Amino acid sequence: MALSVTGLGEVEAKTYSKMPHLEGGDKVIMPPSALDRLASLHIEYPMLFELHNDATQRISHCGVLEFVAEEGMIIMPYWMMQNMLLQEGDTVRVKNTTLPKGTYVKLQPHTTDFLDISNPKAILEKTLRNFSCLTTGDSIMVAYNNRQYYIDIVETKPASAVSIIETDCEVDFAPPLDYKEPEKPQQPTVPASEPTAEDEDAKVEDELKFKPFTGSGKRLDGKASKLQATEVPSSSRSSPSDSNNKVNQETAAPASSGATNSTRQKSGKLVFGSSANNNKEPQKAPVKDDEPPKKDEPKFQAFSGKSYSLKR
């Protein structure tokens, strides 16, 4: 049934300025004549109504608390008037309606302060007990600890307006309107710089450090090594003329030493010490004929001692 202008006359919207305890719900107060008209018709309970503002084409839904308002007037919460873009004394059209039971509701707080409450879920459940229906696009008010928190109805299922009386409804939260994701700390990127003079000095010092197994090998017989050209690195190699001079000097040195010594050992033998000392044979001490020959000392013989008997 529609409570229109023709049926009930013009209906004025007033605030609950004298009834602040009713601000925590979505119920309105209607005149007694509306109850008489509804009682004569077959309607479904609980009573739910659709509010329509023809000037702004805003639609919302509500329940009824009492039928004690003055004739031609309807009293509604202030937050509901804000959703409908109504001022005190404006005209609103009221129509009886039936809404499906809600199964899913998505809410979005206006500020992050609502999340700072110790138990926002319990506060929200307590507040929604005073509501009979929810409409997508509305903003409801939750009063707690002398503060007012506004929450947007982002989505409702299975319809854009649902009844929440005696129903199990899943509630989901969207991030608050003023929520900002924490910025991830950016790691400073170090630009690739050109090598400095200190880096170049460090490289030079590394090159000048001792490197093992980089020397050249020499043979004991004075001949040039066959693997000398492959094993010695380019930095330690000398020119062919220098190597020939060294070989000539080494071969000349044994020749000069051979001139001073009377004899020289053959190649392929190792000689320790000077060749002159090695050529000399050790002189044996002369044996004197006058000395008597030494007698051979008796050898040790086992079990050669004397035996004794215990009997006398």
Side-chain angles (χ1 to χ4, degrees), residues 217-255:
K218 302 295 182 181
R219 292 179 54 165
L220 295 175
D221 55 0
K223 295 182 180 181
S225 176
K226 295 180 180 180
L227 301 177
Q228 183 176 1
T230 59
E231 293 180 355
V232 178
S234 59
S235 60
S236 62
R237 291 179 182 173
S238 58
S239 60
S241 59
D242 296 340
S243 61
N244 293 333
N245 294 333
K246 291 180 180 180
V247 172
N248 293 333
Q249 292 176 2
E250 291 174 357
T251 54

Side-chain angles (χ1 to χ4, degrees), residues 6-226:
T6 56
L8 298 177
E10 293 186 358
V11 179
E12 295 183 359
K14 289 189 176 181
T15 63
Y16 267 138
S17 58
K18 296 182 180 180
M19 301 179 183
H21 63 281
L22 298 178
E23 287 288 332
D26 66 339
K27 295 178 175 60
V28 299
I29 298 179
M30 303 177 70
S33 59
L35 177 60
D36 296 338
R37 186 71 180 271
L38 292 171
S40 62
L41 301 174
H42 298 285
I43 61 173
E44 295 183 3
Y45 294 89
M47 295 182 184
L48 299 177
F49 300 92
E50 177 183 300
L51 304 177
H52 191 275
N53 185 2
D54 295 332
T56 58
Q57 298 298 322
R58 296 296 296 267
I59 298 176
S60 184
H61 297 80
C62 66
V64 60
L65 181 63
E66 295 177 314
F67 293 91
V68 294
E70 297 180 8
E71 291 297 332
M73 294 185 182
I74 181 173
I75 304 174
M76 62 176 59
Y78 180 70
W79 64 265
M80 188 178 294
M81 294 182 64
Q82 289 179 325
N83 289 335
M84 298 290 295
L85 302 178
L86 291 171
Q87 299 293 331
E88 187 174 354
D90 291 345
T91 302
V92 63
R93 186 156 53 93
V94 182
K95 183 178 68 172
N96 176 251
T97 186
T98 301
L99 300 176
K101 291 186 177 182
T103 58
Y104 174 82
V105 176
K106 188 173 184 180
L107 307 177
Q108 185 177 27
H110 285 193
T111 61
T112 56
D113 296 339
F114 180 74
L115 303 179
D116 296 336
I117 300 176
S118 59
N119 193 353
K121 181 180 178 182
I123 300 301
L124 186 61
E125 290 179 354
K126 181 180 178 181
T127 302
L128 291 180
R129 290 173 186 171
N130 299 324
F131 283 74
S132 56
C133 56
L134 295 175
T135 305
T136 302
D138 284 355
S139 296
I140 63 175
M141 191 271 294
V142 177
Y144 175 72
N145 199 15
N146 297 327
R147 293 190 61 180
Q148 294 179 350
Y149 302 93
Y150 288 90
I151 300 176
D152 292 341
I153 310 300
V154 179
E155 184 181 0
T156 58
K157 293 180 181 180
S160 59
V162 295
S163 171
I164 59 173
I165 299 174
E166 296 180 357
T167 181
D168 293 332
C169 187
E170 180 183 356
V171 179
D172 190 13
F173 283 90
L177 296 177
D178 61 347
Y179 176 76
K180 294 182 180 180
E181 294 185 359
E183 297 180 358
K184 296 181 179 180
Q186 298 180 356
Q187 297 181 355
T189 57
V190 180
S193 58
E194 297 181 357
T196 59
E198 297 179 355
D199 298 337
E200 294 179 356
D201 294 341
K203 292 182 179 179
V204 173
E205 291 179 359
D206 293 339
E207 293 178 357
L208 296 178
K209 287 182 180 180
F210 170 74
K211 296 181 179 181
F213 306 107
T214 56
S216 59
K218 302 295 182 181
R219 292 179 54 165
L220 295 175
D221 55 0
K223 295 182 180 181
S225 176
K226 295 180 180 180

